[in-house]
Amino acid sequence: MSRVQSLTLAMAGVALLAPSAPPTTVPQPRTEPAVRRTAPVPAAGVPAEARTEPAVRRTPSVSATDVPAEAPTEPPVRRTAPVSAADLLAKVRTCAPVSHGRYREDHGAKATVPVCGTRDAVFWKADMDIDCDGRPGPRCNARTDPYFLASTAFAQSDGRPLSSEETPYVVVPAPSAVWNHRSHGVRGGSVVAVVYRDRVRYAVVGDTGPADIIGEASYATAESLGIDPDPRVGGTPSGVTYIVFRDSRVTPIEDHTAAVTAGERLARRFVDADD
């Protein structure tokens, strides 16, 4: 081998043994994630492992099975329909007489009307004459009614007579051998359902009349039923049913709101009762 070749080989060997220079690297820019989530700062004293919160807290919906069995529920409101005229008339379709005879509807007329009874009430079917007796008013007084009396058998709470114009009341015959209303739980203030056609109105027993006549009510009673209340020419010749609830009483007797409340309750019990 020539000297030149030996030198060349020697230089090549040196090059191989020399460490290679590190490659030149271009520094890469620092990047941040698109969305950086930061954990909430925990309150002092909270352990580090309890400091994480989910990004979004979802509250689970409450299912029917999550409601305690003992949770109170309100019962539905039950409304009772008012007692109708048809309901009441159906209950008094038949008559078991409690009177020992019959009554006239007018002076000189034939006696045809018995007083009938059930366990809860007494009743009769008759005409309606207008009783304008009691405390005088613009429509009930000695000028408007030739038979006017400034008194009633039963007085109101202040001791004065009832007002026929203001208080719906019914007249019962005075006690006699035919019938004594007192012996059947009927007295002043007893509650009465008065039925005429398709109307039901509530009144009280407020006066007594002749011992042989039946079928009379106050100006206010007639007016509420759509019957002409004029004491001279008013009233109706037939078709009125009077149902008096035994052992009932409104106090004070002139409290018509109380009479209606009691009447609706007693009428419902009467209609629903088993005979």
Side-chain angles (χ1 to χ4, degrees), residues 152-156 160-162 172 181 187-189 205-208 253:
T152 50
F154 308 106
Q156 60 184 33
R160 295 187 298 167
L162 296 174
V172 296
H181 60 271
R187 53 187 170 174
V205 171
D207 202 2
T208 58
I253 191 173

Side-chain angles (χ1 to χ4, degrees), residues 123-146:
F123 62 92
W124 57 92
K125 301 175 183 181
D127 65 346
M128 180 180 285
D129 296 323
I130 308 304
D131 181 355
C132 243
D133 294 345
R135 198 167 68 250
R139 294 176 292 276
C140 287
N141 53 63
R143 295 187 307 276
T144 61
D145 182 4

Side-chain angles (χ1 to χ4, degrees), residues 231-248:
R232 289 179 181 269
V233 299
T236 185
S238 63
V240 182
T241 300
Y242 305 81
I243 305 170
V244 186
F245 300 107
R246 295 188 184 204
D247 301 315
S248 63

